[in-house]
Amino acid sequence: MPPSRRAVALVVPVAGFLLGFLDFVWIKWVPFPFAELGNSTATWAVAAFALGCWIRSGAVRAAVAASVLLIVAVPSYYLAATLLQGDDLAVIWALTSFVWMAFGVVAGVVFGVAGIWARTEGWRRVVGTALPVAVFVEEALRFALKSGSYPGAWWNVAIDLGLAALLVVLIGRSARVRLLAAAVALPLAAAGALTFAAVAGS
């Protein structure tokens, strides 16, 4: 049974707060190389995907809920930085914060809907399964490209690819879906890497 609207309305803001706050805690106290998972766009995208899976049905509801999740997580992250590290609280309403919230809306729509699609049939199921895999492959590509200036990057490449493999096994419900999703994830990851490079360079 899909959760009720009331359950979604109660869970989403709490989950968003915990995502942002615990993300900063993870970065601050978890040792290298696993600390990078806290500072990971892929981790947040997969959180939005997991929320869509939990909601089960209703693409619009999943997209809105996942967007709210990521929007709430941004100020929560900066609040944790203020409380635990003494950063300036004003960063919460700085332009950078609003930019990340805007990215959160885009990621929430894409990965919230992907969580719904992963529970359907046909091509939507394959694409829904492929998207969370693709974000970790894309992140692994970014780490590989900066390995020359970041000697520890290959550890993060291995971790991201390992998580991508784990996700395709856990989310894909059959060998056929897993193989197709793995194949689809590769061009999606390449497209994501190009998009990320274009946004970062603009």
Side-chain angles (χ1 to χ4, degrees), residues 5-96:
R5 291 183 179 179
R6 183 178 180 182
V8 172
L10 289 172
V11 167
V12 169
V14 174
F17 177 84
L18 291 174
L19 173 62
F21 201 94
L22 295 178
D23 183 79
F24 185 83
V25 171
W26 182 281
I27 293 168
K28 191 166 179 65
W29 280 292
V30 172
F32 175 86
F34 296 100
E36 289 285 359
L37 289 174
N39 195 27
S40 164
T41 53
T43 300
W44 284 41
V46 171
F49 172 85
L51 183 66
C53 282
W54 175 66
I55 289 174
R56 289 175 178 265
S57 63
V60 173
R61 184 166 68 145
V64 172
S67 296
V68 171
L69 173 85
L70 298 181
I71 289 170
V72 171
V74 173
S76 174
Y77 174 92
Y78 290 125
L79 176 62
T82 298
L83 295 176
L84 302 176
Q85 190 170 276
D87 287 6
D88 189 349
L89 187 63
V91 73
I92 291 176
W93 50 85
L95 177 61
T96 304

Side-chain angles (χ1 to χ4, degrees), residues 101-176:
M101 289 183 201
F103 287 145
V105 172
V106 175
V109 170
V110 172
F111 290 93
V113 172
I116 298 292
W117 283 6
R119 288 182 170 272
T120 61
E121 299 297 332
W123 67 267
R124 287 182 178 86
R125 184 171 174 179
V126 172
V127 174
T129 302
L131 274 165
V133 176
V135 288
F136 275 111
V137 175
E138 183 276 330
E139 190 169 80
L141 285 172
R142 279 190 279 129
F143 275 118
L145 289 173
K146 66 180 183 180
S147 60
S149 58
Y150 181 29
W154 291 110
W155 283 107
N156 297 113
V157 171
I159 290 169
D160 281 344
L161 292 179
L163 288 172
L166 180 63
L167 284 170
V168 80
V169 169
L170 292 177
I171 300 168
R173 300 180 190 177
S174 67
R176 179 176 178 274

